[in-house]
Amino acid sequence: MAKRDYYEVLGLSKGASEKDIKKAYRRLAMKYHPDRNSDDESAEEKFKEASEAAEVLLDDEKRSAYDQFGHAAFEGGAAGGGFSQAGGFGSIFEDVFGDIFSGGRGRSQVQRGSDLKYVLDISLEEAVKGTNPKIKIPTLVECMECLGSGAKKGTSPMDCLQCGGSGQVTSRQGFFSLQQTCPRCRGAGRVISDPCGKCHGQGRVQERKTLSVKVPAGVDTGDRIRLSGQGEAGPNGGPSGDLYVQIQVRDHPIFTRDGADLYSEVPISFVDAALGCSLEVPTLEGKVSLKIPHETQTGRLFRLRGKGVDMSKIRGGGLGDLYCKIVVETPVNLSERQKELLREFGGNQDASQSPRKNTWVDGVKRFIDALRD
């Protein structure tokens, strides 16, 4: 199989700086290191591929030859000499990471950064159709001046002389030995004698990152979107945690939502409810006509198929419906003439025209009679 371009392997352009190359290699080595991927055989190959690319591009002579001749530069031809994997991988890993994977270094071992949570407030329309907002996250990021080491550029942390790099010191009291945190390095195992001026030896700096979040169509309140590696940078140059964006959908003035279905109240006059009518009701795609039959009562639901939320892109859902709930509104601010007409109308009604009222009255009578017995 043909080798991939070294710049492509590291995800960089040809003019990348040494700092960019080290940062890219650090990220890939953290992700694919065999010690972290014991169950993934492909991870070791990806680790070797990234190490080979970094070994060449961080060496000025090798990089110049590669830029001129490509992979042929290390096949015993154009540039003379070849690339030795045996000497390359170990040295480049040591140069970039030092001994953070060596174990026995107290707290100076690589630690993963903390995960972060961000609540994203969106409208119902955005939740239904999807959106791609930009958010600003205050977080700790790796110091680019020292590449997370905490030491001034050109220097590196040294093993603590008091504990020998273990982070622990042992004292004896008679037959007993007591192990305590090293007071000099405070358990870190390493001491920074010349700290980085930008991060003051912390290896991390506070920054406000702007990120783009792809919110798929159909999300709902409580759904979470994971942005891998966008959390806090890890101490001692460790990998970053993740950012979890939690969705919060704002209340809508017209619709309420239940999964893929939408609900909306539609107020109509008692005249339209009695005689029937046609009216326009809103949907998320525009207005549609709804025919209200005569003698419609409050609470009746009309279903508009396919006018709900399309959840096919998440959770394997389908297309929901819109349910319009009729609310018959009692008129207010009546004139004397209107009141007179209503009294006349009420006087001409018979029992058969109010079946629900009659059923209720009969139920009340039976209940009272049962109490008397």
Side-chain angles (χ1 to χ4, degrees), residues 30-91:
M30 289 287 189
K31 184 176 182 180
Y32 296 118
H33 194 280
D35 290 348
R36 293 169 173 262
N37 299 273
S38 56
D39 298 330
D40 186 358
E41 295 181 359
S42 64
E44 183 175 359
E45 293 303 317
K46 293 177 181 177
F47 173 75
K48 290 180 179 180
E49 183 182 44
S51 297
E52 180 179 329
E55 173 72 12
V56 169
L57 298 184
L58 286 174
D59 183 294
D60 290 341
E61 185 177 344
K62 291 179 181 178
R63 182 175 182 179
S64 177
Y66 178 74
D67 287 346
Q68 186 174 2
F69 301 106
H71 293 296
F74 310 109
E75 295 174 357
F83 175 76
S84 171
Q85 291 187 355
F89 296 164
S91 61

Side-chain angles (χ1 to χ4, degrees), residues 164-220:
S166 68
Q168 303 287 325
V169 292
T170 303
S171 60
R172 294 189 177 275
Q173 298 179 359
F175 293 102
F176 300 97
S177 61
L178 180 64
Q179 193 174 53
Q180 296 176 313
T181 299
C182 176
R184 184 166 186 263
C185 67
R186 299 180 181 180
R190 307 173 83 188
V191 176
I192 299 174
S193 58
D194 197 359
C196 171
K198 184 176 181 180
C199 66
H200 307 291
Q202 300 302 308
R204 300 183 294 176
V205 292
Q206 189 75 28
E207 185 177 289
R208 196 172 182 86
K209 293 196 299 186
T210 299
L211 302 172
S212 180
V213 183
K214 185 176 182 180
V215 180
V219 296
D220 203 353

Side-chain angles (χ1 to χ4, degrees), residues 48-281:
K48 290 180 179 180
E49 183 182 44
S51 297
E52 180 179 329
E55 173 72 12
V56 169
L57 298 184
L58 286 174
D59 183 294
D60 290 341
E61 185 177 344
K62 291 179 181 178
R63 182 175 182 179
S64 177
Y66 178 74
D67 287 346
Q68 186 174 2
F69 301 106
H71 293 296
F74 310 109
E75 295 174 357
F83 175 76
S84 171
Q85 291 187 355
F89 296 164
S91 61
I92 187 61
F93 191 76
E94 180 70 21
D95 288 344
V96 175
F97 287 91
D99 57 8
I100 56 179
F101 274 96
S102 62
R105 293 296 183 185
R107 297 177 188 170
S108 65
Q109 293 181 8
V110 166
Q111 298 177 40
R112 182 178 182 274
S114 299
D115 292 335
L116 298 178
K117 175 184 174 182
Y118 181 91
V119 178
L120 179 61
D121 190 58
I122 62 176
S123 68
L124 177 62
E125 290 85 351
E126 289 173 324
V128 170
K129 298 178 182 179
T131 183
N132 191 26
K134 292 187 181 297
I135 61 175
K136 293 185 177 181
I137 305 292
T139 184
L140 289 172
V141 300
E142 182 181 69
C143 176
M144 295 308 298
E145 183 68 23
C146 65
L147 296 177
S149 72
K152 185 177 179 179
K153 189 174 182 180
T155 68
S156 61
M158 305 294 292
D159 283 348
C160 176
L161 296 177
Q162 186 166 345
C163 65
S166 68
Q168 303 287 325
V169 292
T170 303
S171 60
R172 294 189 177 275
Q173 298 179 359
F175 293 102
F176 300 97
S177 61
L178 180 64
Q179 193 174 53
Q180 296 176 313
T181 299
C182 176
R184 184 166 186 263
C185 67
R186 299 180 181 180
R190 307 173 83 188
V191 176
I192 299 174
S193 58
D194 197 359
C196 171
K198 184 176 181 180
C199 66
H200 307 291
Q202 300 302 308
R204 300 183 294 176
V205 292
Q206 189 75 28
E207 185 177 289
R208 196 172 182 86
K209 293 196 299 186
T210 299
L211 302 172
S212 180
V213 183
K214 185 176 182 180
V215 180
V219 296
D220 203 353
T221 294
D223 288 341
R224 295 198 310 172
I225 300 170
R226 176 188 174 200
L227 300 183
S228 180
Q230 296 298 342
E232 284 189 353
N236 304 307
S240 298
D242 298 330
L243 170 64
Y244 290 89
V245 179
Q246 183 166 315
I247 300 299
Q248 178 68 46
V249 182
R250 295 191 294 270
D251 290 338
H252 197 275
I254 298 176
F255 303 107
T256 56
R257 180 179 175 183
D258 183 11
D261 295 327
L262 296 175
Y263 291 81
S264 177
E265 288 191 348
V266 180
I268 62 174
S269 70
F270 81 97
V271 175
D272 287 337
L275 302 180
C277 66
S278 291
L279 50 86
E280 287 187 330
V281 295

Side-chain angles (χ1 to χ4, degrees), residues 306-318:
K307 297 300 182 181
V309 181
D310 185 358
M311 299 181 65
S312 60
K313 295 183 179 179
I314 60 171
R315 294 191 288 274

